[in-house]
Amino acid sequence: MELCVNSKKEESFENPISVELVKTKSEMFFSNGYLPDWFLIEVLSRLPVKCVFRYKSVSKRWRFLISATSFASLYISRASLLTPWTILANTLCVNMKIGSFLAQSFLPDLFSDNWLHSRFSIVHFSNMVDSEVGEGCNVVGVSDGLVLYDCGVGEEVSDYHIYNAMTGCCVAIPRTCTRFGDVSTGFIMKSEGGSLTNYKVVRLDCQFGESYVLKFEVFSSETGRWRRVVVYMDVAIEVVWLRRPVALNGKLHWIDRRHGILVFNPFDDFNQCRVIGLPGDIDEQCIDARNNGRSVLFDVHQGQLRYVEASVVSVYPFGFSGISVWILDEYDSSSWTLQHKVKIKDISFDDILISKALNGTIPTPIAFHPLDANIFYLGFGDTIVSYNMKTLKLDALVDPADIRGTFQRNGRGSLRKTPCWSSAFLFTLPPWPISLPIKKRNSK
C-alpha cells in the first residue's frame, strides 16, 4: 500500500493583487502497507464516533489506539459543541422475546433513521434487559449518555441497571436492601478522559408529610455495595417527589415544599444536607401537596440552576396565569434573579393549542433547550410544546395524532396510563462514550 499526496505552491510578488490562487500540494509516502500511529490517530479523531468504535474490530493495534485515554481526550477536544440530544420520555414497555427496551423520544431523532417522523420516534435499546426482568421498566435518571432504569416490582423494591446508549453496554446494580414507600432516585457520576471513575445511585425515602429525619440509601461503584444514610435536619422537610433530583457540582438537589432546594452530597461521609432557599415571589401552590410540582421545572442549564413555573393561579378562561423563570446567582447563596416573567394575556398560542388553553389546561415544564437559553419545552395536554422567551409564543412540536400514552407503575405495582411527556427529561449524548468499568451482564 502506498499513500501519496503531492505539494506545490506558486507565488508572484510583482503584483500581489493579480496573483492567482494555486492548489497546494504536499507529498507523503507510506510504503509496505504501514500507516504510522500518529497518522491513524489524526484520521480517526476526525471521524464520527460510531465509525471510530466500529473500526476497533479492524485489528488489535487499532483497538489499542482507539481505547487509549489519550485518544479519548484528543477526540473530546476536537468534538463539536453541537452534540446530539433529544427529549426522552420515561418508558413504554419491554419485549422479553427480543430483549429490547422501548422508550419515546422527541425533537432531534437520535437513534432512528426514520426521517418521516423526526420530531417523534420510538427509541430501541437493544439487549437492555434479560429474561428474568418483568415488563414495565422505568427510566429514573440519565448522565453523560448513561441511562439508569429500574425494573423493580413496585416502588418498594428497586432493581437498577445502567445502559450506555452509545456502546450498548448494560450492567446490573445489586438489589437494594431497604424497602421505601415512595422513592426518589438520583444518579450522579464522575469521569476522566472518557472513563467512568465513580458513580452513585441515591434512593431517598419520600415520606408522607413533613419529617426531620431523612432516610437515604446510597450505592457506590467503588465499593459495589449499598449503604444506609440517615440525616437529621433542623427544619421539617417534605420533598416534591414527582420531580427528579438534579445533579450539579457533585451533589444532588431536591425541591422541598416549604424551605427550598435540599442539597445532598453522596460522595462524602458527613451525612449532612443543606437547604438553598427558593425565590420569594414564586407561586407556592405549584409545589404544594395537591399540585406536587407538576407545573414547575428545576434543572441545570448552561452550568446554572434554574427554576421555571407556570403559575396555577387561573385567569378565566385559562388554567394558569403566566410563566416565570429564575436563575440562581451564586451556588452557595439563596440569591435568585428573575430572568423572565410573562402574563397569560401576552402569550401567543399555536392554533393547535388554542382549544387546550381555553379548556383550562396547565402546562408542565419538561426541559431547557441545551443550546438556546431562550427556549424550553413543556407538556401541554396531549402534546409537546416549545416556549420562546423572546417571541412569547407556545408552539406545538408533536402531532397529537402521533402521541402514544405511556404506562408507569404506581405505588402498588400496577400500571397506569400517563401522558407521553410525563417524567420526560433532556438526554444529551457526550462527544465520547463513557466506558463502564464493570463487567457486562451476561444475557440469558
Side-chain angles (χ1 to χ4, degrees):
M1 174 180 179
E2 187 176 82
L3 174 65
C4 175
V5 184
N6 297 317
S7 175
K8 188 176 181 181
K9 186 177 182 180
E10 298 179 359
E11 294 180 292
S12 173
F13 297 98
E14 295 180 357
N15 186 355
I17 299 179
S18 63
V19 173
E20 294 184 1
L21 295 178
V22 180
K23 290 184 179 180
T24 301
K25 298 180 181 180
S26 60
E27 286 190 0
M28 286 189 300
F29 291 91
F30 299 140
S31 303
N32 302 323
Y34 180 81
L35 299 177
D37 290 352
W38 66 266
F39 182 81
L40 281 173
I41 291 172
E42 285 296 319
V43 173
L44 292 171
S45 64
R46 288 168 168 79
L47 297 177
V49 67
K50 287 186 178 181
C51 295
V52 175
F53 269 75
R54 190 180 304 122
Y55 293 151
K56 273 189 171 185
S57 59
V58 171
S59 66
K60 291 183 178 179
R61 177 180 168 227
W62 283 41
R63 175 182 289 272
F64 175 79
L65 291 176
I66 295 172
S67 302
T69 303
S70 57
F71 180 82
S73 300
L74 175 64
Y75 194 95
I76 292 172
S77 68
R78 292 179 172 178
S80 169
L81 295 177
L82 302 176
T83 55
W85 62 277
T86 189
I87 291 181
L88 188 66
N90 192 329
T91 182
L92 280 181
C93 62
V94 177
N95 187 328
M96 307 313 303
K97 294 181 179 180
I98 61 175
S100 64
F101 181 86
L102 307 180
Q104 290 177 318
S105 68
F106 309 94
L107 307 179
D109 191 355
L110 287 182
F111 306 96
S112 173
D113 294 326
N114 182 8
W115 296 105
L116 297 178
H117 300 283
S118 60
R119 294 183 182 274
F120 174 81
S121 64
I122 303 299
V123 178
H124 294 257
F125 293 102
S126 60
N127 301 322
M128 197 167 176
V129 292
D130 61 32
S131 58
E132 295 180 354
V133 179
E135 295 186 357
C137 297
N138 288 328
V139 175
V140 295
V142 294
S143 181
D144 286 343
L146 300 180
V147 179
L148 176 69
Y149 65 99
D150 178 18
C151 295
V153 180
E155 297 289 341
E156 295 183 352
V157 179
S158 297
D159 183 14
Y160 296 111
H161 299 67
I162 297 178
Y163 178 74
N164 191 318
M166 298 179 73
T167 66
C169 179
C170 181
V171 297
I173 294 177
R175 292 283 180 93
T176 57
C177 304
T178 307
R179 288 178 175 269
F180 291 150
D182 290 318
V183 178
S184 178
T185 305
F187 180 39
I188 189 168
M189 54 167 285
K190 293 182 178 179
S191 62
E192 183 178 350
S195 295
L196 183 62
T197 58
N198 190 6
Y199 69 84
K200 305 283 185 180
V201 177
V202 179
R203 303 175 72 232
L204 171 61
D205 182 15
C206 299
Q207 305 175 39
F208 180 77
E210 298 179 335
S211 177
Y212 288 89
V213 181
L214 301 179
K215 298 179 182 179
F216 296 90
E217 191 176 25
V218 181
F219 176 82
S220 171
S221 60
E222 292 181 320
T223 63
R225 296 179 180 178
W226 291 91
R227 69 181 178 96
R228 299 177 185 178
V229 177
V230 178
V231 179
Y232 297 93
M233 302 293 296
D234 295 330
V235 294
I237 298 296
E238 186 177 3
V239 169
V240 180
W241 57 266
L242 183 66
R243 286 303 186 181
R244 286 190 179 91
V246 175
L248 179 65
N249 296 336
K251 303 176 180 65
L252 290 170
H253 307 73
W254 285 264
I255 301 177
D256 172 66
R257 297 196 195 283
R258 294 166 181 81
H259 305 289
I261 308 302
L262 178 70
V263 184
F264 175 68
N265 186 351
F267 289 99
D268 66 32
D269 297 322
F270 296 111
N271 297 345
Q272 296 177 351
C273 291
R274 72 183 185 96
V275 176
I276 300 175
L278 284 172
D281 50 345
I282 65 171
D283 179 3
E284 295 182 358
Q285 296 181 75
C286 294
I287 54 176
D288 63 15
R290 181 181 61 179
N291 295 293
N292 200 26
R294 285 183 175 84
S295 60
V296 303
L297 169 65
F298 170 66
D299 208 346
V300 177
H301 183 252
Q302 298 180 350
Q304 290 183 291
L305 291 175
R306 299 195 181 195
Y307 185 88
V308 180
E309 73 172 19
S311 176
V312 295
V313 177
S314 60
V315 175
Y316 184 82
F318 305 100
F320 66 107
S321 59
I323 296 174
S324 302
V325 182
W326 292 267
I327 300 177
L328 184 64
D329 294 327
E330 296 182 7
Y331 181 76
D332 294 327
S333 71
S334 296
S335 175
W336 297 79
T337 296
L338 181 63
Q339 180 192 15
H340 179 77
K341 189 177 183 68
V342 60
K343 295 182 179 180
I344 185 67
K345 65 181 180 64
D346 298 320
I347 299 176
S348 58
F349 294 84
D350 190 316
D351 292 342
I352 297 177
L353 306 177
I354 291 178
S355 62
K356 298 179 179 60
L358 296 178
N359 286 335
T361 303
I362 302 175
T364 297
I366 295 174
F368 296 101
H369 190 293
L371 304 175
D372 193 332
N374 293 306
I375 296 176
F376 55 90
Y377 301 98
L378 309 97
F380 197 59
D382 56 358
T383 190
I384 302 291
V385 305
S386 68
Y387 176 71
N388 191 313
M389 290 186 280
K390 280 189 174 181
T391 63
L392 309 182
K393 186 178 181 183
L394 287 169
D395 289 299
L397 297 176
V398 182
D399 186 348
D402 288 337
I403 294 298
R404 305 179 187 181
T406 64
F407 288 90
Q408 299 176 356
R409 285 194 177 95
N410 58 24
R412 298 180 179 178
S414 59
L415 296 176
R416 67 180 185 275
K417 193 169 185 178
T418 61
C420 65
W421 43 261
S422 178
S423 300
F425 49 83
L426 179 69
F427 182 40
T428 303
L429 290 179
W432 186 258
I434 304 297
S435 59
L436 293 169
I438 15 185
K439 292 181 179 180
K440 189 189 217 177
R441 185 168 186 171
N442 295 327
S443 58
K444 297 181 180 181

